[in-house]
């Protein structure tokens, strides 16, 4: 089976689920080619799998659409040759409307200039799925189009308006993957046919199970709390910080440290809040980390915290991959009851769900786990089993390949 994986930027430290999925497909014997609109940030660390699987040989990068109008059309002329006459299909105003006038689809098509026939074209995030079904309808790509939705792509109002609620994508796309029941219901509400839709969660690398829990947590003198998240509104980090403040002020508990792994647009604002609450000696911003670095932090953590919220624009956590990584490492979790988060743990068994934005509930849950190490340990053990049984990367990959085959067989039946 020949599968194209199409992404916005590859690799991305914050999108470990994509590289995990790619390596699982390769391990399963699938012929994978990666197509990325943009190159990664050169200052970013690379995930170990990128080199281990020699993914640099499998990825092709697109030609960015110039912002400057003169450069945009000059480059257009430069890229046209006799082998690419079919690319003029991407300029058919009468069929595809004013979307084609900015040359968006022409530049997207350049990514596939040398490779354009596949069994499956798997797009990550709705906007990319929209692009690809359009390119296929222009005759520039061949293959069944599958689109995975992950969160912002079906919740951000500006994106939904730009892509007209994905009407064309839902009509012309062949298959769709939701990462949680919450995502599934949201996509159906937008107009996606349930017949084309399946739930396949994203998962952490199975390598996390290679790390065996030690006595580091039990012997630690300081109670360690960890969050792994983008520093954006939907992650609700300010409420986690508020919970840390309450640990000291209400519960008179100061024997803790709170590490935050991740980066984002709210980093400076959150650091200012930490300084204002005089918690800079307790709360540490560690920036982005590779999966292996994250796993090492998890092994030395007592509680994992994810205080996601529903944003002012209505966006919510679609799944919460970091919760799975924590539970796989045997760490009990405390998380907000929001979006698709309840799918990623068992409340009272592998962790504790708390109401959104409730700093008192956050602090109380942490104190409960601190005061009862036996229950905390049992939750960690059950969490590890829960992830193994429900989010095994190999099993999820098998389910996805079965979905691919179902789409291919449907095509054969019609022909």
């Amino acid at each position: 089976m020949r599968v194209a994986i199409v992404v916005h930027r590859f690799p991305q430290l914050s999108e470990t689920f994509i590289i995990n999925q790619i390596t699982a497909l390769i391990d399963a014997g699938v012929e994978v080619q990666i197509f990325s609109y943009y190159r990664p940030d050169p200052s970013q660390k690379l995930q170990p799998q990128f080199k281990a699987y020699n993914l640099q040989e499998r990825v092709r990068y697109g030609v960015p659409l110039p912002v400057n109008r003169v450069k945009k059309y000059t480059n257009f002329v430069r890229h046209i040759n006799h082998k690419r006459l079919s690319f003029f299909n991407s300029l058919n105003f009468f069929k595809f409307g004013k979307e084609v006038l900015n040359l968006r689809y022409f530049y997207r098509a350049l990514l596939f200039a040398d490779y354009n026939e596949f069994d499956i074209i798997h797009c990550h995030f709705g906007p990319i799925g929209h692009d690809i079904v359009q390119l296929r309808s222009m005759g520039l790509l061949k293959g069944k189009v599958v689109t995975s939705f992950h969160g912002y792509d079906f919740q951000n109002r500006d994106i939904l308006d730009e892509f007209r609620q994905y009407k064309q994508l839902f009509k012309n796309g062949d298959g769709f993957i939701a990462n949680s029941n919450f995502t599934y219901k949201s996509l159906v509400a937008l107009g996606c046919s349930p017949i084309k839709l399946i739930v396949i969660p994203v998962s952490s690398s199975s390598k996390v199970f290679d790390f065996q829990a030690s006595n580091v947590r039990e012997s630690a003198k300081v109670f360690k709390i960890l969050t792994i998240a983008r520093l954006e509104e939907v992650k609700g980090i300010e409420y986690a910080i508020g919970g840390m403040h309450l640990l000291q002020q209400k519960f008179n508990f100061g024997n803790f440290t709170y590490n935050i792994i991740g980066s984002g647009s709210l980093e400076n604002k959150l650091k200012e809040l930490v300084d204002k609450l005089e918690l800079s000696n307790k709360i540490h911003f560690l920036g982005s980390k590779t999966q292996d670095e994250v796993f090492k932090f998890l092994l030395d953590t007592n509680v994992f915290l994810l205080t996601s919220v529903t944003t002012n624009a209505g966006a919510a956590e679609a799944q919460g991959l970091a919760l799975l990584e924590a539970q796989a490492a045997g760490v009990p979790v405390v998380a907000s009851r929001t979006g698709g988060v309840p799918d990623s743990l068992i409340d009272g068994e592998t962790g504790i769900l708390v109401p959104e934005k409730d700093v008192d509930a956050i602090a109380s849950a942490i104190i409960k786990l601190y005061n009862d190490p036996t229950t905390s340990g049992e939750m960690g053990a059950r969490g590890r089993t829960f992830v193994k049984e429900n989010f095994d990367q190999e099993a999820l990959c098998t389910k996805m390949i079965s979905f691919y085959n179902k789409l291919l067989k449907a095509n054969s039946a019609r022909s």
Side-chain angles (χ1 to χ4, degrees):
M1 183 186 297
R2 193 165 185 232
V3 175
I5 304 292
V6 191
V7 296
H8 184 261
R9 192 182 300 275
F10 184 83
Q12 284 268 72
L13 274 181
S14 62
E15 295 177 356
T16 57
F17 54 90
I18 293 179
I19 201 167
N20 290 338
Q21 188 180 95
I22 289 170
T23 56
L25 286 170
I26 293 171
D27 288 342
V30 175
E31 183 183 345
V32 176
Q33 183 77 41
I34 307 161
F35 296 87
S36 176
Y37 286 177
Y38 301 101
R39 295 180 180 274
D41 181 343
S43 65
Q44 170 190 271
K45 294 179 181 179
L46 292 176
Q47 299 286 7
Q49 303 100 303
F50 188 77
K51 293 183 178 179
Y53 282 78
N54 201 26
L55 296 183
Q56 65 270 20
E57 298 298 323
R58 294 176 181 267
V59 62
R60 287 179 56 84
Y61 293 102
V63 178
L65 179 66
V67 177
N68 181 278
R69 182 175 296 180
V70 174
K71 189 175 182 181
K72 181 192 300 183
Y73 290 99
T74 301
N75 284 1
F76 164 71
V77 174
R78 182 165 62 87
H79 285 295
I80 280 291
N81 59 47
H82 70 281
K83 294 182 180 179
R84 297 175 179 172
L85 294 179
S86 62
F87 281 25
F88 280 106
N89 291 342
S90 68
L91 306 178
N92 190 331
F93 171 81
F94 298 102
K95 186 174 181 180
F96 300 106
K98 62 182 181 180
E99 268 190 318
V100 305
L101 298 181
N102 71 350
L103 301 183
R104 170 195 177 108
Y105 293 119
F106 174 82
Y107 278 89
R108 293 290 186 252
L110 290 175
L111 181 57
F112 303 95
D114 300 317
Y115 305 91
N116 62 5
E117 291 190 28
F118 306 92
D119 295 308
I120 298 291
I121 307 172
H122 190 155
C123 311
H124 282 277
F125 297 98
I128 292 179
H130 172 88
D131 286 349
I132 297 307
V133 296
Q134 290 290 73
L135 289 179
R136 187 179 64 174
S137 66
M138 295 170 183
L140 300 175
L141 278 173
K142 292 182 180 180
K144 291 289 188 177
V145 178
V146 174
T147 304
S148 285
F149 285 86
H150 297 289
Y152 81 87
D153 48 351
F154 65 87
Q155 299 183 84
N156 184 291
R157 291 169 186 168
D158 291 337
I159 290 176
L160 290 174
D161 288 343
E162 180 181 355
F163 295 97
R164 301 185 181 94
Q165 317 298 312
Y166 297 121
K167 287 183 180 179
Q168 286 300 315
L169 173 58
F170 290 150
K171 178 182 178 182
N172 298 321
D174 300 291
F176 301 93
I177 298 176
N179 58 3
S180 67
N181 291 319
F182 167 75
T183 300
Y184 181 96
K185 293 175 183 177
S186 298
L187 293 177
V188 171
L190 277 174
C192 181
S193 168
I195 296 174
K196 294 183 176 183
L197 183 59
I198 189 173
V199 175
I200 304 178
V202 296
S203 183
S204 173
S205 168
S206 58
K207 188 175 180 180
V208 69
F209 293 108
D210 295 336
F211 291 84
Q212 297 298 321
S214 66
N215 62 356
V216 173
R217 295 171 187 147
E218 290 75 9
S219 62
K221 294 181 180 179
V222 177
F223 194 72
K224 296 180 180 180
I225 306 162
L226 176 68
T227 288
I228 305 166
R230 291 176 292 108
L231 306 185
E232 305 294 346
E233 181 189 359
V234 73
K235 300 299 182 179
I237 304 296
E238 65 267 37
Y239 300 102
I241 293 171
M244 300 305 114
H245 183 61
L246 271 189
L247 285 178
Q248 287 192 320
Q249 300 300 312
K250 180 177 179 178
F251 295 98
N252 196 30
F253 177 62
N255 188 35
F256 71 89
T257 185
Y258 178 36
N259 291 321
I260 302 172
I261 292 177
S263 58
S265 63
L266 296 181
E267 184 168 348
N268 290 335
K269 182 179 179 180
L270 293 170
K271 286 180 176 178
E272 289 173 2
L273 176 61
V274 168
D275 289 339
K276 180 181 178 180
L277 297 176
E278 299 181 348
L279 289 170
S280 56
N281 63 325
K282 298 291 183 184
I283 300 178
H284 311 288
F285 293 86
L286 306 180
S288 299
K289 301 290 181 185
T290 66
Q291 278 192 105
D292 283 359
E293 290 172 329
V294 164
F295 295 159
K296 290 176 182 178
F297 272 95
L298 285 169
L299 289 179
D300 192 23
T301 291
N302 299 99
V303 174
F304 183 82
L305 183 61
L306 187 67
T307 54
S308 303
V309 300
T310 302
T311 69
N312 292 330
E317 189 80 58
Q319 180 183 342
L321 175 59
L323 290 169
L324 302 181
E325 293 176 335
Q327 290 171 98
V331 182
V333 299
V334 174
S336 300
R337 188 185 295 276
T338 182
V341 168
D343 286 354
S344 297
L345 72 151
I346 304 175
D347 187 25
E349 295 290 324
T350 69
I352 301 173
L353 286 173
V354 297
E356 285 188 42
K357 304 179 182 180
D358 191 333
V359 294
D360 194 287
I362 293 167
S364 297
I366 292 171
I367 283 294
K368 179 179 180 180
L369 293 173
Y370 172 76
N371 287 332
D372 192 349
T374 299
T375 296
S376 180
E378 290 172 350
M379 279 188 171
R382 285 193 293 266
R384 195 170 168 88
T385 301
F386 169 69
V387 175
K388 273 187 175 181
E389 292 180 349
N390 297 279
F391 298 92
D392 175 71
Q393 182 68 71
E394 185 176 339
L396 293 175
C397 182
T398 299
K399 185 176 182 180
M400 187 163 60
I401 292 173
S402 295
F403 187 54
Y404 291 166
N405 283 323
K406 178 183 176 182
L407 296 177
L408 294 173
K409 288 178 182 177
N411 185 58
S412 299
R414 282 197 294 269
S415 59

